[in-house]
Amino acid sequence: MALTTRIDAELLQTYPGLRHLTRIERAQYLQERATDWWSRALTDAVDRKWNAVGQARTRAGRGPAVTGRDLRIADEQRLRRCLKRRYGWNTFPEEPPCSLYEQSAELAGDLRELARILVTRWQLDGREMGQPERDHLVAEALDALGWPHRRSALDVASAFLDDYPWMWRGPFTAAMARHDDALDDESCPRCEKHRDGQAPHRVYIAHYRLLKLYKVGVTTLSSDRRLKTHRATGAQIVDTYTTNDYREALAVEAAVLKAVEPWRTRNELVPGGGEVWTDNAVLIRLAAFVERGMK
């Protein structure tokens, strides 16, 4: 039977810190409260304890400061939301909301800022992406700058890198040619909204301490979204291992699940709850596990 995570409105009014508990923490709180239902003093103690947990989270804020790659990803997402909200445009590869010569100064400025972020991500975060995604960033940045109708787009993009245009004309042209081919065969991961199997990936192990569970999963190296989902639901990421591509990551994940088969279980409170096992098993250190042949 599924655990309920709904807290009574009267309790929330008395103990507002309970509003800030994660879903797993709410389930644990309600379970403890149900266990001590026969004693008002004990249930009050449980209420106060978990209220303090929620208040501590409020004081600590929403998490660590966003810097580096995370900040660049956040800037890119913010600009895309801005373009959609202001102009009803879902960005490349959709056609822009108006022609190059009909753009307002505001739209042109937003597009230039998007191009700057994309070129910066191509330069600084490219090692964490596959070739198709890197090519997409170049193609979208130059499209935002008006290429091919505006031939100065290459110069502007090069200026974002603080370099001379002739240094980047070859790499940018080659990236656009590859991206055109990817559009033709519908293999661009961003345009088609699918996983880039060629990109570096990482296998991770999350520990749900309150549930006494470990969880193994796979995510792209260029995004922390999946890891943040686990942290938001009360987990700690205890180990990661970087692979060359998606297929290799899946092989490591499958080997881990095979190794912990005697301790496997399921839990609907965990995202991807079919890939979990009880934490009374010895924690597998992924690097050592791979080195010894995944046995």
Side-chain angles (χ1 to χ4, degrees), residues 143-269:
D143 181 79
L145 293 171
W147 180 271
H149 306 292
R150 183 174 287 160
R151 308 300 292 183
S152 62
L154 279 171
D155 298 343
V156 176
S158 300
F160 294 146
L161 301 173
D162 294 325
D163 264 320
Y164 298 104
W166 60 267
M167 294 181 63
W168 298 106
R169 189 174 298 275
F172 283 171
T173 303
M176 286 188 289
R178 287 192 298 268
H179 188 262
D180 286 343
D181 291 340
L183 283 177
D184 291 340
D185 59 24
E186 299 182 345
S187 62
C188 173
R190 287 222 178 185
C191 294
E192 303 301 324
K193 294 180 172 55
H194 62 69
R195 183 189 296 270
D196 184 359
Q198 301 177 28
H201 281 64
R202 64 185 148 192
V203 184
Y204 63 85
I205 293 181
H207 185 206
Y208 283 84
R209 184 178 58 83
L210 292 175
L211 297 178
K212 303 185 186 309
L213 294 174
Y214 286 122
K215 150 89 175 120
V216 66
V218 170
T219 184
T220 56
L221 189 60
S222 61
S223 173
D224 288 335
R225 183 181 304 172
R226 193 62 171 165
L227 304 185
K228 289 177 179 176
T229 298
H230 286 297
R231 291 188 181 110
T233 52
Q236 178 185 4
I237 306 301
V238 294
D239 199 13
T240 61
Y241 180 79
T242 302
T243 63
N244 293 319
D245 54 35
Y246 183 46
R247 182 178 298 179
E248 184 180 338
L250 287 180
V252 175
E253 180 189 46
V256 169
L257 290 173
K258 183 178 179 181
V260 299
E261 183 63 35
W263 299 275
R264 290 279 300 274
T265 184
R266 298 185 65 86
N267 193 301
E268 66 176 19
L269 293 176

Side-chain angles (χ1 to χ4, degrees), residues 85-104:
R85 184 177 66 253
R86 289 180 179 174
Y87 314 106
W89 184 39
N90 289 316
T91 66
F92 189 84
E94 286 189 10
E95 290 294 323
C98 58
S99 70
L100 177 66
Y101 303 104
E102 295 172 335
Q103 291 177 2
S104 65

Side-chain angles (χ1 to χ4, degrees), residues 63-83:
V66 179
T67 58
R69 186 198 64 180
D70 289 342
L71 181 59
R72 292 188 290 273
I73 292 173
D75 279 346
E76 179 188 345
Q77 293 171 342
R78 174 183 58 79
L79 284 164
R80 292 189 189 281
R81 289 194 300 270
C82 173
L83 289 166

Side-chain angles (χ1 to χ4, degrees), residues 6-13 30:
R6 182 171 184 148
I7 300 175
D8 186 83
E10 188 174 336
L11 281 171
L12 291 175
Q13 187 172 2
L30 291 171

